[in-house]
Amino acid sequence: MENNSRRDFLKKSSLAMAGFYIVPRHVLGGKGFIAPSDKLNIAAIGCGGKGWSDIMGAYDSGRNNIAALCDIDDRQMKQSVEKFPAAKKYKDFRIMLEKEKDNIDAVTVSTPDHTHYVSAMAAMSLGKHVYVQKPLAHNIYEVRKMTEAAVQQKVVTQMGNQGSSGDGVRRMMEWYKAGLIGEVSKVHVWTNRPVWPQGIAKPTGKVEVPKEVDWDLWLGPAPWEDYQPDYHPFNWRGWVNYGTGSLGDMACHMMDPPYRVLGLGYPSEVECSIANTAWTGPFKEGYFPESYPAASMIHLKFPRKGKSDVKMTWYDGGLMPERPDEIPADVKLGDWSGGVLLLGTKGVMMCGVYGSNPTLWGSDSLKAKGEKLPITIERVVGSDGAGHYQQWLQACRDGYGKHKPLSSSFDYSGPMSEAVLMGNLAIRSYFFRTPKKDKQWLQEFDYNGRKKLLWDGKEMKITNFDEANQFVKREYRQGWNL
C-alpha cells in the first residue's frame, strides 16, 4: 500500500509539472510580461536627434531589446547610451553589423541622407529588417536599388514618414474613393522649409574636428572635405553632398497623401524654378550649386492609366499656391509646416503635414456627406506616430511574406521617394551651366538645363537632356562601394 501510494504521488506530481511547463510564458510572468522569444533585438545606426526617437519607437516601451548603438559622434549617442547601458556601442556601422549580425533581428537607420543607402543595404544584405528615415536615400538610383534589395533579401521594411500610418490619409482615401470631390487632375503641396541656411556659398577655412567625432566616417561615401560645423550635426540638409533639402525633409510627409489617394507612380516629366536671392552684384547671378536654393517651385506630371494625368506642384521656402475659390479667405491653408490641396471636379480636399486635419471644401452637402461616410479602411493602432513603428515591429515578428501590409514598405515608399527626388534632379539640372560661346550683354553662361525634363521612370533616365542624368546617381569615395 505504501509503495502504491508513493508511485501514485509521483505520477500525479509529474503530470502537474508537465501542465506547469505548458502554461504560456506571459501568464507566468504576470500582466505585461513579454516572453524573451517575442522580443526583437534591434541595432540603431544614428542615435541623436531623429535617431533617438526612432530608437525609442523601436524599443516600444520595453517590448524589444536595443542590442547595439552606432553613431560617429559620442555626443549624439550620449542619451541613448544612458538609456540603454547594456547595448554594445560602435562608431562604424560596418564593424557593428559584422560583429552583431548573429545577435540582431532588425536595424534602424537615422543618419544624414548621404549614408542611408550604404547603411541600409549593408543591413539588408545580412537579412536584417530595416526602418529607414525619409527620404529613403540620397538619389533616385540608390532608392531603386534599395527597393529591389528588400525583395531580393526578403526583409521587412518601413520608411520613417509616420503620417502614412495616420487616420487622416485614410479618411482622404475613403472620401476620394466615394467620389466626393470628383476627379482630380491638379495637386498643390507646400512647406515652410528650409529652416536651415540654403542658397549660400560653401564655408571656407579649416576648423578643428571635435574629439568626439569621427569625421571620416561621417563623410562616408561623400567626397572628402574638411570638417565644418555648418555640416554637422544639423545643417547638412541644405548641402547637395549630404542632404536632400526641403524636399527630402518634408515632401515624403506632404506628398504622401496625394500620392497614396490618387494611386500615383513614376512621374513622366519635371520642371522647376528657384528663387534667385543670391545676386552677387548688378546683373551678376549667384552660383552656389553645392547648396539647395532658398526657395523653389517644382512641377511634376504623373500619367495614370485610364484616367487624366495629375499635375502636382511643390512649393518651399515660404512659397504657397493660390487659394481655391471653395476655401474662404479667412481659413488658414494647411498648418505651420505646410499643406496639401487636391482640386477635384466636385470639390477640394485639404490637409496639413502628415495628412492631419483633413477637410472637404465645396457645398455644405459635400461636408455633410464626408462626415457621414462610414469608415471602410482599417486604421493603424497607436498614437503620435507610435503605430508606424509598431506596425513594422509586428511585421518583423510575423516574418517576410507573412505579415500584414505596411503603410510605407519600400514597394510603396521607394517609387514615392523617387518622385520626391525628381525635384532635386531638376534643381541640380537648373544649376548646370557652360560658358557662353558668343557672349551677349551681361550673359556669360548658357543654362541649358532650365527646361522641362522628360523622364523614363522604368529606365531611370532623362530623355531630352543627357547632362541631367549625372544627377540620377553619384560617384562614391574610394572604399565605400558596396
Side-chain angles (χ1 to χ4, degrees), residues 422-465:
M422 277 299 300
N424 282 340
L425 187 152
I427 287 171
R428 298 191 70 184
S429 180
Y430 189 92
F431 280 115
F432 181 85
R433 71 182 189 182
T434 55
K436 201 170 184 63
K437 293 180 180 178
D438 300 318
K439 291 186 180 180
Q440 300 175 11
W441 182 70
L442 298 175
Q443 296 180 35
E444 300 179 58
F445 298 96
D446 282 321
Y447 291 89
N448 296 321
R450 297 182 180 181
K451 61 172 70 175
K452 180 184 291 185
L453 302 175
L454 305 181
W455 178 245
D456 183 336
K458 184 178 179 181
E459 298 297 326
M460 288 188 292
K461 185 178 181 181
I462 296 292
T463 59
N464 66 325
F465 185 61

Side-chain angles (χ1 to χ4, degrees), residues 335-346:
D335 55 28
W336 181 80
S337 290
V340 179
L341 290 169
L342 281 75
L343 309 183
T345 54
K346 298 179 182 179

Side-chain angles (χ1 to χ4, degrees), residues 335-391:
D335 55 28
W336 181 80
S337 290
V340 179
L341 290 169
L342 281 75
L343 309 183
T345 54
K346 298 179 182 179
V348 173
M349 271 198 290
M350 181 174 71
C351 69
V353 68
Y354 310 127
S356 62
N357 190 32
T359 50
L360 288 167
W361 298 93
S363 64
D364 291 338
S365 61
L366 176 65
K367 294 181 180 180
K369 288 178 182 177
E371 291 173 359
K372 294 178 181 178
L373 193 72
I375 292 175
T376 57
I377 301 174
E378 183 180 357
R379 295 328 194 227
V380 177
V381 178
S383 60
D384 297 327
H388 196 60
Y389 295 104
Q390 291 164 2
Q391 185 192 59

Side-chain angles (χ1 to χ4, degrees), residues 187-262:
V187 173
H188 299 287
V189 186
W190 69 96
T191 182
N192 65 345
R193 278 19 171 220
V195 292
W196 53 83
Q198 282 191 186
I200 56 176
K202 286 183 67 173
T204 58
K206 194 157 186 175
V207 181
E208 185 177 353
V209 180
K211 64 181 185 301
E212 300 91 349
V213 174
D214 189 318
W215 183 240
D216 182 67
L217 288 176
W218 188 90
L219 288 171
W224 173 267
E225 62 178 309
D226 291 332
Y227 167 80
Q228 291 288 344
D230 287 341
Y231 301 152
H232 174 72
F234 181 71
N235 288 340
W236 53 266
R237 290 189 181 279
W239 302 100
V240 166
N241 278 343
Y242 313 120
T244 48
S246 299
L247 281 154
D249 184 43
M250 294 303 290
C252 289
H253 295 310
M254 313 302 298
M255 282 174 57
D256 175 62
Y259 195 89
R260 190 181 300 270
V261 167
L262 301 176

Side-chain angles (χ1 to χ4, degrees), residues 28-45:
L28 299 177
K31 186 177 180 180
F33 177 82
I34 302 168
S37 59
D38 291 335
K39 286 193 172 187
L40 297 168
N41 290 320
I42 295 171
I45 304 175

